[in-house]
Every structure is written in C-alpha cells, then in structure tokens.
Amino acid sequence: MATATEANALGYNLDVDYVVRYSFGDVDQSQAIKELEKLLRTLASVGLQTEVRQGDETSLLVFVRATSKRLKRAVYRSRVRDWLYGILNSEPDSAGSIEPATEAERLRVVNQMITLPTEEGGAGITPKHGEWKNVTNVFPLHDEETNKEWMREWSKKTFLSNEELDQIRDKFGESVGFYFSFLQCYFRFLIFPAVFGFSCWFFLGGYSIVYTAVNCLWCIIFVEYWKRQEVDLSCRWQTKGVSAVQTTRREFKPEKEVRDEGTGEMRGIFPATKRMQRQLLQIPFAFLAAIALGVIIATCFAIEIFISELYNGPFKSYLIFIPTILVSALVPTISAVLMSIATKLNDYENHETNDGYDVALTQKMFVINFITSYLPIFLTAFVYVPFASRIVPYLDVFRLTVRPFVSKEHCDSKKSHFQIDPARLRNQVIYFTVTAQIVGFAMETIVPYLKQHAFRKYKEYNRKRHGKPAQNGDKDSPERSPIMTYDDPIEEKDFLKRVRNEVELSEYEVTDDLREMCIQFGYLALFSPVWPLVPVSFFINNWIELRSDFFKICMEFQRPTPLRADTIGPWLDTLGFLSWVGSITSAALVYLFSGNPQHGPNGDATDIRGWSLLLAIFFSEHLYLIVRYAVQTAMAKLEPPHARKERAERYLVRKRYLDSTINADPEKDLQQVKDDTLPETPEISRVALEDDARHSSMHDADPAERFWTRQHGWTESAEVGAGIIRAQPSSGSAKKQQ
Amino acid sequence: MATATEANALGYNLDVDYVVRYSFGDVDQSQAIKELEKLLRTLASVGLQTEVRQGDETSLLVFVRATSKRLKRAVYRSRVRDWLYGILNSEPDSAGSIEPATEAERLRVVNQMITLPTEEGGAGITPKHGEWKNVTNVFPLHDEETNKEWMREWSKKTFLSNEELDQIRDKFGESVGFYFSFLQCYFRFLIFPAVFGFSCWFFLGGYSIVYTAVNCLWCIIFVEYWKRQEVDLSCRWQTKGVSAVQTTRREFKPEKEVRDEGTGEMRGIFPATKRMQRQLLQIPFAFLAAIALGVIIATCFAIEIFISELYNGPFKSYLIFIPTILVSALVPTISAVLMSIATKLNDYENHETNDGYDVALTQKMFVINFITSYLPIFLTAFVYVPFASRIVPYLDVFRLTVRPFVSKEHCDSKKSHFQIDPARLRNQVIYFTVTAQIVGFAMETIVPYLKQHAFRKYKEYNRKRHGKPAQNGDKDSPERSPIMTYDDPIEEKDFLKRVRNEVELSEYEVTDDLREMCIQFGYLALFSPVWPLVPVSFFINNWIELRSDFFKICMEFQRPTPLRADTIGPWLDTLGFLSWVGSITSAALVYLFSGNPQHGPNGDATDIRGWSLLLAIFFSEHLYLIVRYAVQTAMAKLEPPHARKERAERYLVRKRYLDSTINADPEKDLQQVKDDTLPETPEISRVALEDDARHSSMHDADPAERFWTRQHGWTESAEVGAGIIRAQPSSGSAKKQQ
C-alpha cells in the first residue's frame, strides 16, 4: 500500500491536470446524461484521460489528464505556431522528443487541448458559452506544498531574487510572473523615495521643492526603467511579440470572411475603421462618468465641509457620518452601473482578441478609477483651500435642510466663524495612503479568507445536522434534506474534499491587482509633496502586498490558467500618464502651499497668484517632458542584456542555417570567395595589343569594351598612370615626356 | 566603326561604375607612382577592372568596373549579411545566379567592394583618410540621359507616382528615395491647408481661431501619416531595420576589444555610458549657441526698430540697411563657428556608425537652425508688439551712437512719436515664407549653376590663352603655363571632358535638403496664423523644389553613392517637435492679436492678459497632445499595406521551411497529428476490472495511477457520471439509487 508521504509527493494532485465542472442542475436528467457523454467523448477524442467524481448535488467533477503522446504533439504544435509567428527563434525539434519546458507550459497546452476550436486541434469546449454552457469551470489544482513552501521562504526575506520570479513564472505563467516582477521592481525602487522622503519630512516638512523635484525625477526613471525591464523579461521568458498569436475571442462577431494573405486561411474580420467609430462612444461615456461621480463626490464633500466646519448644532458627531455613508453607498453603486455600461460598450466594440478586449476595458475603467481615487483630494487641494472663503458662504444652503430638524435658536446662534482647516489636506492624504491601504488589504485578503472558512464551517455544520448516510434506505421523508455525503473512495476523500473547496473559489484576474498598484503609484506621483512619508507607507505596504497577493492567489482563488504576456499591458501607459499629471499637480501643490497656507487664498491676490501658478505649472510640466525625453534617450541606448542575447541568437540561428547550406552547395561558395582573391595578371605583349587593335577595328565593338580594353590588367594601368605622373611638371625635378 | 548614337546608348557612361580620383600634387613623383600601383593592385585584387586617364595637372582618374563574377559574389555576400541581420526575410539564392536587383544596388555593392575593410572582403580604400589620403573622390557618374528625361517628364505633371519614386530609388538609393517620397507626401498634404488657408485669408483674415485649430490638426495628421508611410516604404523597399548592418565609421576609436556574442567575432566597443557623459556637453553648447546668436539677432533687431521707427534724421534710407548688413554678415559667421564647434563635439563623442554620427550632429545643428530661422519672428511677435511701448524708450541709447554723425538740431527736433507698426509681424512672415524661399531657391540652385558655367568658361579661356599642345617640343619656356590639353583618345574626348567636369562638383548630402524642408514646415506650424497664405506659398515652392532639387543633384553635385535608409532620421522627431511648439505659439499669436493689435500691449492690462494667455496656451497645448495621442492610436490600428505583406511573407517563409522538414521527417508529424484523433476505446470487462484490482493490490502502485484507472476510458466515466446524475434528487422524478 502506498504510504501517506507518497500521497504528498509529486503525485499530490494525483497527476490531475485540469478539473472540469459540469453542472446538471438546470437541465433534466436525460439531457444531462447526453451532454456528459458528449463532453467525455470530446475530451477523449483529443487525447485526454477522464475520471468522473461527484462535485455536489448538482454538479460533477471531470478530472482530466493528458496522455503523454498527445501532449507531446500538442506542445509541438504550439511551439511551431510560436515559431511561425516569430516568437521563437529556432524551429522546435520534431514531435517525438518534445517535453513541456515548465509546468505552466504543460497546463497552458492542456488548456489549449480543451478549449481550442476543433479546427485548430482542440476539443472546442467553451465554458459557460454556447453548447457547453453547463460546463461552468475549467481550472487546474493548486500545488499546495510548493505554495506553502514559497510563502514560508518569502516571509523571511526582503527581496525576491530573479530565480524566484522565474519559479513563479514556471508555475503560474508569464502573466502572473510579470505582475510579481513589476511588484518586486516597484518595491525595490521605493527604497529611495522612502529614505529620501523620510529625511525630507524630518528636515523640511511638507511641500518642499527639493522633495517634489526628486519625486518627479524618480517617477520618470522608474517608469522608463520598467519599460526596459519588460523588454528584458519578455526576451528572457521568450514571450516577445506574443500578442501576435492570440486566439480569437469566441464572442467575436466578424463582419465578413477574408482570405488571410499570410496563412492562406479564411478568417473573419471586422474593419478597424468601424470599430474606431464605435470607440468614439467612449468620449460621452467619459463625460457621463466624470459628471456622475464628480457630482456625488463633490456634493458629499460639500456636505462634509458644512457639517464639520460650519455646523454647530446638535447631533454633530452623528451627522458627521452622513457624508461618509453617502459616499460609501453611492459611489460604489454608481461605479458598478458605470462599469456595466463600460462592459456593454466594450462588447459593442467587438474586439477580436482577448488582449484587445482587456486593453479597451481597462481604458474605460480607468476613467472611473481615476475619479473615485483622486477627485476627493483634488477637491480639497484645489477647490477647498484656495476658494473656500468664497464658496463656503454658499454652503449655507444646507442649513435649510437641517432647519426642520433643529430648533430655530440653535441654528441662528451657532453661526460659527469659518476657518480653513489647514491640516485637512494632509489628513486626507494620510487617510488615502495609509488607512485606505490597510482597509483595502483587509478587505482583499483577510475578509474573503475568513468568509470562506466561515462558509465551509457552516456547510459542514449543515451537513452534520441534516444529513444521514443514504445507505439507511430512508426514502420516505421528503422533508429531510438531501444527502450531503459523497460516495468517495476512502483514499481519495481528502483529495476530493480539497477539490470541492477549490471549485467554490472564484477566478483570478491579474488586472485587478495591477490596477491597485497603479492607483497607489498615482498617489505617490500626484500628492506625495503633501506628506513626504507616503513612499514609506507604500514601501511597507508593498512588502506585505507581494506576499499577501500570493497568499490570495493560493488560498482565495482557483489556480489561474497560465497566460502568456510580454507586458503589463495598458497599465504601463497609465503609469506614464499619472507621472505626467503628477508633474502638474506637484508644482501646483508646492506653489499654493509652500508659503503659509492661510495666506494663500485671498480674494484680491487671486489673479496674480493665478498667473504665476500657471507659469509654475508651465515650467514644471515642460521640465518634466524634457527630462523624460532625456531619460528615454539614455535608456534606449542601454540595451537590456536579454534583448541582446535574443538578437544574437537570431543571428546565430541564421548563421548556422547558412553554414549548413553552404557546405552542401556544390558551386563556389562563400569560403571560396574569401580564398579567391588574386586575379590573373596577363602579360602585356605587343602581340596581344596588336590582336586587340585588329579585333576592335574588325568588329562593331561596343565603345565601352574599347574603353576597357585599352589597358589590360592593372599593371598596364599602373604604367600608363606612372607615365602621366612623370609627364606633369613638378617643382625642382626635370620635365620628362612619355 | 561605332556610330554616334551607340555612344549614347546603354554604354553612355562606357560601363564605368566608379571614378576614383587620385591626386599626386602633394607628394613627389616616385611616391605617387608607388601609391598609384598600390591603389591599382588593391582594386584589382577585389575583382575590379581599372583604366587610368589623366584628370588634370595634379590628378589621375582611375575608372573602375566590377567583373561579373566577383560582382555576383559581392552581391551575394551583401544579401547574406542582410538576411543574417533580419533585413531580408528569405535567404538569398546561391552565389552563381545572383544579379543586382537595381542600379542602386549595383553601385552600392561596388562601393562596398572598394571601401569595405579587407577583412570584410573589400579593398579597404578610405578616401582622404589614413594611407589613402591622396585618393580624394570615389563617385559614380551621372546617367545624363535618364536625368534629362525625368526632368522633362516631371515638369509636365503635378504629382509623381509611386512608380516614379521607385525609379528614383532604383537609381539613387533609398536615402535619396526617402527624401523625394517625403517631399512628395508633404506636397500632396499641402493641398488642403493651401485651399483652406486661402479661404480663411479671404473670408476671415489673419489670426482666426478656426484656421489655427485646423492648421494644428493638419500638422498632427501629416506627421503621423508620414511615420506610417515610412514604415510602409521601408517594407516596400526592403530596408526595414537596415540600421543594424551599418558598418563602423573609420574614425571610430574603440576603447577595448570584446567578443561579440552573436557573431563570435572580436569587435571594438566604446561604452555607451561614457559617450553619454560626453554628450552632456551639448547642454552648455546649446546655451552658448542660444546666447551668441540670440544677442546678435536681438541687437540687430533693436537697431532696426530704432532706425525705422524712431529715428528721423538724415540718411535714414541708407542707415536702414545697417542692421540687415550686420545680420547677413554676423549671423552666418557665428553660425559657422558654432557649427565647427558642434562638429568637434560630435567627433569627440566617438560614434560608432555613420548613422549615429549624423543623428547626433543634426541634433546639435538644429539648435543653431532653430534660432537663426525663428528667433526674428519670435522677437517681433512676442517682444516687440506686446512690450514695445515699454522697451522702445530704452532704445534711445542708440541715439548716442548717431549723435556724432548728425548735427544736433536734426536729432533733437526730430524726436518722433513712437507708434507700433501693426503690419510688421505680417510683413516679416511674408518675407520669411515667400521672399526668403525665392532667394534660397536662387542661392541653392541657380547661383551654383551659373558659377559652374562661369568657372568652366574661365578655365577654357585660360587654356586657350596660355596653352600650346605639348607636341611642339617647346620645353625651354619656364614662364609658359603648364600644358592644359590632355592626351585623350579621340572618341573619349567628350566623355572625359564630362567626367572632368563632374570631378569638380561637390558631394551631395541629403540631410541639407531635409533640413530645409523641416525649417519650412516649422514656419507653417509656428507662424501661419499670422498670414494664412503661407501654405499657398509653400505649395508652389515645393512643386518647384522637388524638380529643382533633382536638377541640383544632377547638375551641381556628384552622383551620390546610394545609401540605404528606413527613415528620414532625426528630422522626423524635429517635425513632431515643431508641431508641438506650433500649438503653443499659434495659441499665443491668436490670443494676442485676434483683437485689435493696437490695444493689445497696454501696460495696465498686462497682468490679466498674462494670466489668460497662459491659460490659453495651457489648453491649446494639452488639447494638441490629446488629439495627437488619439491620432497615433488610430494610425497604429491601420497597418500599412506593405508592412502587412512583409509580415505575411515572414510567416510564409517559415511555413514553407516547416512543410519541407515535415515531409522529410520519418516520425509522426503534424499531418498525422491531425489524422490521428480517435483513441482506442477498450471494452470494460469484468476480467479487466478484476485484473486491475489484483494489479493494484499486488504492487505499491502510485496513488495517482490508482486514481486514473478506476474508470477505463470515457465510456466507463460516462456510465459512472450518469449514475451520479440519476442518483441526485430532482423535482418530480423518482429517486433512484445506484
């Protein structure tokens, strides 16, 4: 009998590649059985072994494993496709000797075997879509041992090494690998602004020009360095140009069929111009989002100002929570509505590949993210502080809403004198960069984990309370709850329990984590002059973030299907954009607040301040652009090491090919070209000259030929030339004639 | 005997590929003869036929023609190199059957045979450099027939077709081809602003917002369209990525030798970081140039204001020319000094390739060009008109310089009242965009032509006056001028006369013409709101320019050695930069002058005007950037047709290779993979099951294997699954147990 330790060995997942969840709750039994047969037959036809177990009362779990021979063929086919599209440099070895290079490649190829359309060699199973809509999940199982081991190791170190990032890529694919590499790079880069920010905060306080300038420079260098690092990684992980092999989205509706010039196959296309027209709808959408969210946030902001600084009636300490509640209730609701509009717009745009779809969706979402994340601070910094003394008297309108609830004398007699709260901006920044990060961490990582555990305990409790083993034969109690135990083999019980837990988890999207990091970067670029300890907070947060994100992937999400990527996508442009906006806002903040903030917003001086404010912004932004251009130029000259290797490899592949064909070439080849350097040097004889003269006079010879035959060979030319030289007069030497 | 018409046939240039001019005026005769021998021997050793004729009294002309066999080998070697570096997609045919595809390729390869270092298979002849410094020129001869024919044809048409541009490329190489393609594209694009500008000028006058906005949009679209067109052309002319095969500059001084990873050869490198440090010197240089030229131009400008508008003493109509003379004398002088400093700096930077050298030099020169071309108008528009009423009183200092020359009473009594000349700006723009263009055309094309003819006539006259044929034996008259007739064969006289004329010409640099076009574009982008007829003037000028530039290349320069290029180089960035600056200056011009220009510069209102001016610039610039981003994104989605073809070709090349290896592969290949889709479906028999049970109990079987052998084949899995489905309770159906 196998020992317990063997179960934890390589075969921990019992060699299962993928788990396919088939749900039969919505269809009647005969149709379910037919669909199940079809599913299993299709899987088997592409070379996948199957095992069926029960999932829960309305689903089956189909465990899938690829047979060795068919897997090799699928890997070969995938690599050939890569080579045809220029992602790999040398053509793959023949199909017989190929093995998947990494676990991620194996899982990716098996996923292709399951999901690619039949004409491309796959089973054509499209979860939740079309004829397979009862197939709800297709996911691989977590490698719990390695996950735990990595989490233990990483909690002891500060930095992950390149080898560990490679390990992440080997297990989870390049897309996740890029995210962790980005996070690690960002974390490493944060050391400098953390240290510098701390010293500036200590010695100079907030709003210092020195800190702002260094901060903007840091943002430029970080973004440009990451761009270079992306190229390096994509060469190292051999995914450069991988967007060329993206498969078509199954929701893509082509307008017409066209024969592709390259591959010679028919493929559906949708004209790019038509898509661009549809994309123009993004402009009204952006306005709608800006107005909707802006109005809500601004109104809640105004209410908050009123209550916290103007109002002095009863229940102040309770009413202060009204704007917070309003914001927390309204903003996510409106955001969700806007996100669904964005998704519908995105579907309308009919993108051809998943990448294209994701990029476009990210761009739309970013408008929403930008407003919800940064507008509150913008309002405080650029509306409240400069113009409060003008606007606040208008806020008295809110008194009218309060009046019915408060007695008249309370209201009138407590008209307080309005004073700007100078620490408001700083407190708000501290809130967003420290408190919100901690709350976000809790919401993202801890709460779902606790929820899962609570849910599982509840299900267990339910099962123990209601369920009796079916073997008792008690069929006549319709009120009794259905059977909750499963007919599992003994040795598979733990395994299947784990699998059933993993089935309940949701799918992981790396773009959500990237969004979070970009928004965080935005705070650093836009608002850190207010409170120079922002990078310190982010530094600590990101150390935890890397490990907590890994924990999240392992514990709270299904193991993601490995995806290939050569970039973090549209977030890179976002970083550049935030860096640019940061140059403007930083200059404005320093200008407005570097003096005494009380004296800033003064009605008379607004015009002059406005003029020099705009001038400061003008200079700051253009200085930013010049420095960014210089850094880009400098970075472009430093070729990343792996890119250089990849270029050299491309050269060597062709060189080897050339050498092999040259040796086979019976004609004079390059080697002979190098050897054969000495031409014949015929003697110049009178006979030859006379022959030539006779020859040329006898035929209608080409005047060109006559020109070229006057001097046979270079020696004769040399003599003629020497004669000409001697014939020329030169100072002090006797004149000789030819 | 050959007839006269035959001489004008294909062999018009007597099949001469290159003319090498060897000058022996500086060395004594025996050394000259030795060098000549060495030159001819080296040329012959790479397979070039030579013929020597006399050039003039201090030089010889060595006519060079490549032998067919060696030329084929050189073409093959060049194409192999292209293929190794990824410029060509498919490897070239074997050496035996290769012909140069175009005349330009032939000339380029022969030039390589002459100039490449010996280790790369060339003769290693480096004109004016090192051991070959008496070799002063290496150039091909003009094909006069074709040149004349083309000039005749083009003078009849408005637009050149793509085929004609291809013809230019076939004759003169891709570098010149790109210039003419750019010029043609720019000309075509100018139709719209010419028409639109004319209507705006007619209906709206100057400084209209409509015209400015459309102008900026046009600039964006033109630059982005040309970028796309460059990619298309480089794919069509198969030079994409050609910068990878640039040969090392001979003046390059490597710091150390390093083994190249790709090619495995030793090559000298100079660290990019060290070069970047040296490039930092550009910053003080730019300041120096700005200050030097700026002071001169500003001073002359001030003098001109004084004399034309303040001064009313005698000789005014003569004194008015002083600033013009000063500018025309000082600015070119200082520019020349600055350019020599720039060249020295550029040499110091030790660039590795000619392309790198040219790009860096262009960037340095551009500072000089920008200031000399645009600063006068900047001064008029943004210093004179807004601030003149403040500054002009200070100009009275010039009165002091005039005082000694003019009687006292004239000076004092003629203190005129200062009034801004509103048409000054417009007149200045008209000067730069019409007058200066015409003068430039004359200086560039007509004057050198006339100079040449005058010079030749003078030489002829001299020769006829002084020279007697040497056959007269008159050796004893030392005062007599040297012999001016040459000992040419009769039938070569005309030919050699033509060659001797061509030897006198200078070398053509395409970058000068590109600079001229970019500066012209700058006027359009920056200042055309002042006078909307600017594009009309440029439209007419560019029609003439294309033909006159071709005339210039054919008549006033030696035929250029064909160079390959895949871009117009740093001028593309310059166009983008000028377009950007244009968005700022256009907004400022419209803002300052769209009202009554008299009322603009008024001391009191300056502050308010300053603030809203900056706001206008802020919005205009950012609107420009947003629109540019949108246009770039839209253009990126529209793949140029030839780029698509090139990508398809790359795919097909690899596909063909794959198909050829698959058929040769004895193992199961991709075809079989597609056929072999049905797995075996073994019967489930009781015997088999029992065997399995026995088998698993007898060995320490892998738990994974036990898992996977519970259900043999998909049919058994289907049965198990069906059982599970039936076992689940469903509404209305009887419960069945397995």
Side-chain angles (χ1 to χ4, degrees), chain A residues 630-645:
Chain A
V631 172
Q632 272 172 349
T633 317
M635 286 285 185
K637 292 190 163 50
L638 305 170
E639 197 177 11
H642 289 98
R644 196 171 50 231
K645 273 192 200 142

Side-chain angles (χ1 to χ4, degrees), chain B residues 448-657:
Chain B
Y449 189 69
L450 295 175
K451 251 177 36 181
Q452 265 178 46
H453 268 254
F455 190 57
R456 279 182 208 159
K457 294 248 178 294
Y458 172 72
K459 275 174 76 171
E460 286 249 9
Y461 172 73
N462 244 351
R463 202 182 331 141
K464 291 205 174 88
R465 247 194 66 192
H466 292 268
K468 282 184 195 167
Q471 287 86 338
N472 285 358
D474 205 345
K475 289 175 259 180
D476 301 317
S477 320
E479 326 76 59
R480 191 161 275 142
S481 305
I483 299 158
M484 293 284 196
T485 54
Y486 306 111
D487 189 18
D488 303 331
I490 305 286
E491 58 173 1
E492 293 175 11
K493 266 202 183 306
D494 288 333
F495 171 71
L496 287 172
K497 181 173 165 197
R498 181 165 66 87
V499 172
R500 289 184 189 110
N501 283 340
E502 286 194 24
V503 166
E504 300 291 322
L505 303 173
S506 25
E507 276 185 51
Y508 177 66
E509 292 277 346
V510 78
T511 193
D512 294 330
D513 283 329
L514 279 169
R515 172 182 303 129
E516 190 188 330
M517 281 302 110
C518 283
I519 304 277
Q520 191 204 74
F521 176 83
Y523 285 119
L524 183 56
L526 267 61
F527 302 118
S528 66
V530 177
W531 189 56
L533 289 183
V534 163
V536 177
S537 158
F538 287 165
F539 183 73
I540 300 169
N541 176 73
N542 285 0
W543 189 92
I544 301 171
E545 180 86 21
L546 193 145
R547 288 141 188 82
S548 79
D549 274 348
F550 186 72
F551 175 83
K552 194 177 67 173
I553 295 176
C554 298
M555 295 291 167
E556 296 165 26
F557 286 98
Q558 290 173 357
R559 179 170 180 175
T561 303
L563 290 174
R564 288 195 295 181
D566 58 354
T567 171
I568 58 173
W571 299 109
L572 191 54
D573 291 335
T574 310
L575 290 177
F577 175 73
L578 287 170
S579 188
W580 188 329
V581 175
S583 73
I584 299 178
T585 61
S586 303
L589 282 170
V590 168
Y591 180 81
L592 286 175
F593 296 98
S594 56
N596 193 337
Q598 311 278 57
H599 291 165
N602 199 347
D604 304 329
T606 300
D607 285 332
I608 295 178
R609 304 278 298 195
W611 178 75
S612 41
L613 168 68
L614 277 174
L615 202 63
I617 290 179
F618 186 83
F619 276 121
S620 163
E621 188 187 7
H622 287 86
L623 189 62
Y624 164 84
L625 290 170
I626 292 172
V627 173
R628 189 179 77 166
Y629 176 75
V631 172
Q632 274 175 347
T633 318
M635 286 284 185
K637 293 192 163 50
L638 303 171
E639 197 177 12
H642 287 98
R644 196 170 50 231
K645 274 194 200 140
E646 194 254 347
R647 198 166 44 85
E649 195 190 298
R650 256 187 293 143
Y651 178 91
L652 280 171
V653 163
R654 292 188 165 191
K655 190 101 199 301
R656 274 195 301 266
Y657 173 78

Side-chain angles (χ1 to χ4, degrees), chain A residues 15 30 33 112 166 176 260 277 295 326 358 361 385 389 444 483 494 507 552 599 658 715 721 724:
Chain A
D15 275 358
S30 54
I33 293 170
Q112 281 181 342
D166 281 346
V176 174
D260 187 86
Q277 286 169 9
V295 162
L326 275 177
D358 288 341
L361 191 61
V385 176
S389 42
E444 179 190 344
I483 297 158
D494 288 332
E507 275 186 52
K552 194 177 65 171
H599 291 166
L658 185 71
T715 43
I724 296 177

Side-chain angles (χ1 to χ4, degrees), chain A residues 1-2 6 14-16 24 29 32-33 36-37 40-41 44-45 49-54 57 60 63-65 70 73 76-77 80 83-86 88 91 94-96 261-263 276 470 489 491-492 495 580 584 607 610-611 614-615 617-618 621-622 625 629 634 637-638 644 648 651-652 654-655 657-658 665 667-668 670 673 676-677 679 700 703-711 714 717-718 721-722 724-726 728 730 737, chain B residues 1-2 6 14-16 24 29 32-33 36-37 40-41 44-45 49-54 57 60 63-65 70 73 76-77 80 83-86 88 91 94-96 261-263 276 279 363 470 489 491-492 495 580 584 610-611 614-615 617-618 621-622 625 629 634 637-638 644 648 651-652 654-655 657-658 665 667-668 670 673 676-677 679 700 703-711 714 717-718 721-722 724-726 728 730 737:
Chain A
M1 282 296 291
E6 265 187 43
L14 298 182
D15 275 358
V16 168
F24 53 82
Q29 287 187 356
I33 293 170
L36 177 68
E37 271 191 34
L40 294 172
R41 184 178 353 113
S45 71
Q49 260 185 294
T50 50
E51 284 281 328
V52 171
R53 302 280 187 274
Q54 185 165 10
E57 58 273 7
L60 290 174
F63 294 88
V64 155
R65 172 170 85 164
R70 300 300 290 271
R73 282 210 200 117
Y76 175 74
R77 189 165 40 229
V80 160
W83 178 68
L84 286 178
Y85 282 96
L88 285 183
E91 72 273 17
S94 59
E261 295 156 355
T263 56
M276 273 194 277
E491 58 175 1
E492 292 172 13
F495 171 71
W580 188 331
I584 300 178
D607 285 334
W611 178 76
L614 278 173
L615 202 64
I617 289 179
F618 186 83
E621 187 186 8
H622 287 87
L625 289 170
Y629 176 74
K637 292 190 163 50
L638 305 170
R644 196 171 50 231
Y651 178 92
L652 280 171
R654 292 187 165 192
K655 190 103 199 297
Y657 172 78
L658 185 71
D665 190 358
E667 285 195 338
K668 284 203 176 69
L670 213 60
V673 168
D676 189 3
T677 51
D700 278 5
E705 278 317 302
R706 284 202 299 276
F707 177 85
W708 286 101
T709 48
R710 288 194 194 277
Q711 298 157 13
W714 69 269
S717 298
I724 296 177
I725 291 176
R726 289 190 202 99
Q728 298 312 314
S730 62
Q737 283 202 357
Chain B
M1 281 297 289
E6 265 188 41
L14 299 182
D15 275 358
V16 170
F24 54 82
Q29 287 187 355
I33 293 170
L36 178 67
E37 273 191 33
L40 293 172
R41 185 181 348 116
S45 71
Q49 259 186 296
T50 50
E51 284 282 326
V52 172
R53 301 283 185 275
Q54 183 164 12
E57 58 272 12
L60 290 175
F63 293 89
V64 156
R65 170 171 87 163
R70 301 299 291 270
R73 281 207 203 123
Y76 176 74
R77 191 165 36 229
V80 160
W83 178 66
L84 286 177
Y85 282 96
L88 286 182
E91 72 274 18
S94 61
E261 295 155 355
T263 56
M276 274 195 276
Q279 279 180 317
Q363 284 173 340
E491 58 173 1
E492 293 175 11
F495 171 71
W580 188 329
I584 299 178
W611 178 75
L614 277 174
L615 202 63
I617 290 179
F618 186 83
E621 188 187 7
H622 287 86
L625 290 170
Y629 176 75
K637 293 192 163 50
L638 303 171
R644 196 170 50 231
Y651 178 91
L652 280 171
R654 292 188 165 191
K655 190 101 199 301
Y657 173 78
L658 185 69
D665 191 357
E667 286 195 339
K668 284 203 178 68
L670 214 59
V673 168
D676 188 2
T677 52
D700 278 6
E705 279 318 301
R706 285 200 299 276
F707 177 84
W708 286 100
T709 47
R710 288 192 194 278
Q711 301 157 13
W714 69 270
S717 298
I724 296 176
I725 292 175
R726 289 192 202 99
Q728 298 313 312
S730 59
Q737 283 200 357

